Amino acid sequence: EPQIVWLRRDLRLTDHAAFTAAAQAGPVIPVYILDDETPGERKLGGASRWWLHHALESLQKDLGRHSSKLILRRGSVCDVLPKLAEETGAKTVHAIRHYDPWWRKAQGKLKDELDLQLHDGNYLLPPGSVTTGSGSPYKIFTPFKDSMFDAIHGFDILPEPSLSSPDSWPESDTLEDLDLLPTKPDWAGGMRAFWDGQHGTAAAMERFDRFLDVSKDYIDDRNLPSEDATSRLSPHLHHGEVSPRMLWDAMGNYTSEGARMFRAELIWRDYAQNLICQFPKYAMEPYREGYDDNFWRNPNRGHLIQEELEAWQMGQTGYPIVDAGMRQLWATGWMHNRVRMIAASFLVKHLLIDWRHGEKWFWDTLVDADYGSNGTNWQWVSGTGVDSNMFVRIMAPLSQSEKFDAGDYIREWVPELADLSDRDIHDPSDSCRPKSYPAKLIGHKEARERALETYRASKD
Ligand code: FAD
């Protein structure tokens, strides 16, 4: 009897417990359902859709090697899956468990209607695996990380199973029917150039091998945005072309500080899931009290604030490092982590705009946009989250820029400043700033004072 494997952000065959279980039970029907209903306002953003197209294409090829197929459908999973089960006579649906609040709801609902077998596998350990001494889930990263390191003793990676096909295949949409690529206008040129056709499991593992060669320098170089010194695997991990367990395992005997730091970054990814399991709205609502609409200069209060938000989005704030990051994001769908922190902090503290506007922009423009990771990092930068109150720790974008960029990153993404000296490029004075580059939206000192004053006033 055929077994359905329902795929979401787990677009791979290796280390995929749902594929493995299904293959043991019978012929396998893999299905991906493009569902813009179930996630509500969290439907996939534009950049994620672009990546998804290529990830699906690559999975189709991998399945082709097994003479298998990927069935594509559109609609609400709660309608489509039961129908597909009926059509094919499949009684069991296997899937990897996901923790985004809309998926948790849908998983619960589907379990009432069919035999849905959920398997772990997209995280190092399932959320809830490590707890504090008193048995509650962790809220703070460092003790969570330490417990994870203690709890993990390597992984048994599931090999790619051999798949047999059903007697007949159900109908499928084509990849083009899903309409995931931009057409008019085609804004994906920068993405194609940056990612250079590198999609799917094999490409991700190749990229990882390359990263291993430089991983001993990761501790120092991971903060330098002009260097290709981090793994850049975040979109592959987000869409599940590789599992973090595969990377942990492939790291094998690498014991450098850099290797440990990389593993700690993978634990950050698990940590974000641990938080959204405890606080499902973590990406949508500040955890701390006092950061409601009154606190922020919200764009709906006036067109000038709206214009500032747009200047940030388009990389026109007058702060070269912020603008370089925002333009890298717009062009490639990815931004270096150090610059994500600087740019996010600038929106929240310098412009005093609610972090949720930034979170939404990232949701639409990142190829790795992830409900848990994005929300967790935005709340962390903003100081509105579970960590001790950090709003008053205000990052200085200009000194960050001098510290982490020798100017090359800015020259690449803000070409109108390319001719400025290494000294001027971080903070071009009016006398050397080209006309095509805007003046600062607000001075650093003034912005800092405004933020601190707003904070003090909110406490009165
Ligand atoms: P590497 O340094 O090679 O790290 C390896 C992997 O560890 C990453 O691919 C990622 O899966 C994970 N990781 C690393 N840092 C973090 C982190 N701080 N939080 C969670 N996971 C992490 N990452 C996302 O995957 N999706 C997001 O939507 C996202 N939004 C962010 C928003 C803000 C404001 C900030 C400051 C960070 C955000 N990050 C997000 C985290 C981080 O910036 C990216 O994961 C990282 O830059 C990806 O590059 P890399 O693969 O080269 O990372």
Side-chain angles (χ1 to χ4, degrees):
E1 163 181 310
Q3 311 281 312
I4 292 177
V5 173
W6 169 35
L7 297 155
R8 283 171 286 175
R9 295 193 284 98
D10 42 55
L11 303 173
R12 64 176 179 277
L13 290 169
T14 309
D15 200 37
H16 197 296
F19 264 120
T20 303
Q24 279 163 2
V28 176
I29 303 178
V31 58
Y32 181 87
I33 301 163
L34 180 66
D35 183 351
D36 285 336
E37 292 167 41
T38 305
E41 57 181 303
R42 288 296 161 164
K43 74 176 200 175
L44 287 174
S48 298
R49 295 172 108 80
W50 176 81
W51 189 283
L52 174 63
H53 176 97
H54 298 291
L56 291 172
E57 195 172 40
S58 164
L59 182 65
Q60 280 179 329
K61 284 191 193 132
D62 290 345
L63 285 166
R65 285 191 284 106
H66 294 259
S67 308
S68 181
K69 279 191 187 178
L70 180 61
I71 300 302
L72 300 171
R73 293 273 167 108
R74 280 167 293 175
S76 163
V77 293
C78 292
D79 298 333
V80 176
L81 263 184
K83 263 192 218 141
L84 185 70
E86 206 180 300
E87 252 173 78
T88 56
K91 296 220 167 56
T92 306
V93 175
H94 298 267
I96 298 278
R97 190 182 274 107
H98 290 273
Y99 302 97
D100 312 81
W102 59 92
W103 286 138
R104 282 169 71 184
K105 237 196 218 158
Q107 284 162 182
K109 205 167 156 211
L110 282 163
K111 267 192 174 260
D112 294 338
E113 294 191 34
L114 37 81
D115 177 22
L116 175 64
Q117 304 277 334
L118 293 170
H119 305 264
D120 296 321
N122 253 20
Y123 297 94
L124 294 169
L125 297 177
S129 299
V130 296
T131 52
T132 63
S134 61
S136 23
Y138 286 101
K139 290 207 187 99
I140 305 298
F141 177 69
T142 305
F144 175 82
K145 177 194 70 183
D146 294 343
S147 286
M148 289 286 282
F149 271 119
D150 287 344
I152 296 174
H153 305 284
F155 296 104
D156 288 328
I157 301 302
L158 298 168
E160 190 170 312
S162 61
L163 304 175
S164 61
S165 298
D167 294 337
S168 66
W169 285 101
E171 275 182 27
S172 171
D173 287 341
T174 65
L175 196 47
E176 287 64 39
D177 291 336
L178 302 194
D179 211 6
L180 293 166
L181 296 180
T183 45
K184 286 179 199 159
D186 171 10
W187 42 254
M191 299 198 188
R192 286 193 291 272
F194 190 73
W195 299 99
D196 196 19
Q198 301 297 301
H199 303 279
T201 307
M205 289 315 283
E206 247 170 60
R207 171 81 207 170
F208 186 63
D209 282 345
R210 211 200 126 273
F211 170 72
L212 277 180
D213 291 342
V214 297
S215 63
K216 61 177 188 332
D217 302 321
Y218 181 67
I219 295 265
D220 297 323
D221 292 357
R222 74 199 174 96
N223 277 312
L224 308 178
S226 63
E227 304 300 310
D228 183 3
T230 65
S231 73
R232 294 190 187 168
L233 285 170
S234 50
H236 298 280
L237 280 161
H238 172 75
H239 294 273
E241 300 165 18
V242 283
S243 73
R245 299 156 31 118
M246 287 161 72
L247 303 182
W248 190 285
D249 183 65
M251 200 136 228
N253 299 328
Y254 280 75
T255 52
S256 66
E257 282 288 296
R260 189 176 165 89
M261 175 64 84
F262 180 78
R263 286 182 160 150
E265 297 300 355
L266 293 177
I267 294 176
W268 255 100
R269 184 175 171 276
D270 269 43
Y271 169 68
Q273 296 300 306
N274 163 69
L275 282 184
I276 62 165
C277 282
Q278 292 177 68
F279 314 108
K281 293 195 172 159
Y282 201 64
M284 300 196 287
E285 285 173 11
Y287 173 82
R288 283 177 181 275
E289 283 181 13
Y291 295 99
D292 55 14
D293 284 351
N294 295 327
F295 185 89
W296 307 104
R297 297 170 62 242
N298 262 331
N300 61 11
R301 279 207 228 135
H303 72 279
L304 286 177
I305 307 178
Q306 175 63 30
E307 279 166 23
E308 287 180 20
L309 173 62
E310 286 168 15
W312 176 80
Q313 292 171 335
M314 289 296 124
Q316 299 286 348
T317 66
Y319 281 76
I321 190 74
V322 174
D323 294 338
M326 297 307 292
R327 294 185 198 185
Q328 179 181 35
L329 172 63
W330 182 246
T332 69
W334 186 84
M335 196 200 306
H336 186 277
N337 180 59
R338 169 61 47 184
V339 195
R340 288 189 203 200
M341 291 195 278
I342 300 170
S345 172
F346 182 83
L347 179 77
V348 174
K349 308 212 176 145
H350 284 66
L351 299 183
L352 262 184
I353 290 179
D354 192 333
W355 59 273
R356 290 177 290 183
H357 291 283
E359 193 274 343
K360 278 213 188 91
W361 182 252
F362 274 27
W363 179 260
D364 202 31
T365 52
L366 278 171
V367 286
D368 61 31
D370 183 274
Y371 182 81
S373 292
N374 201 27
T376 298
N377 280 284
W378 273 98
Q379 291 241 40
W380 182 79
V381 170
S382 307
T384 56
V386 292
D387 308 85
S388 55
N389 206 336
M390 295 209 306
F391 181 84
V392 289
R393 275 173 44 190
I394 295 177
M395 231 183 202
L398 300 172
S399 32
Q400 287 279 315
S401 183
E402 285 170 6
K403 188 163 171 203
F404 295 114
D405 183 29
D408 298 345
Y409 182 71
I410 295 174
R411 287 196 178 90
E412 180 173 1
W413 294 107
V414 192
E416 62 269 38
L417 300 181
D419 293 337
L420 296 193
S421 69
D422 287 353
R423 227 187 45 154
D424 288 334
I425 197 163
H426 301 285
D427 185 12
S429 63
D430 285 344
S431 59
C432 68
R433 179 168 56 82
K435 279 210 186 66
S436 54
Y437 188 70
K440 291 195 195 77
L441 286 177
I442 183 170
H444 171 62
K445 199 157 160 267
E446 192 190 331
R448 191 184 139 78
E449 277 162 14
R450 179 173 70 180
L452 293 176
E453 184 46 40
T454 304
Y455 179 77
R456 272 194 295 271
S458 78
K459 296 286 160 204
D460 288 344

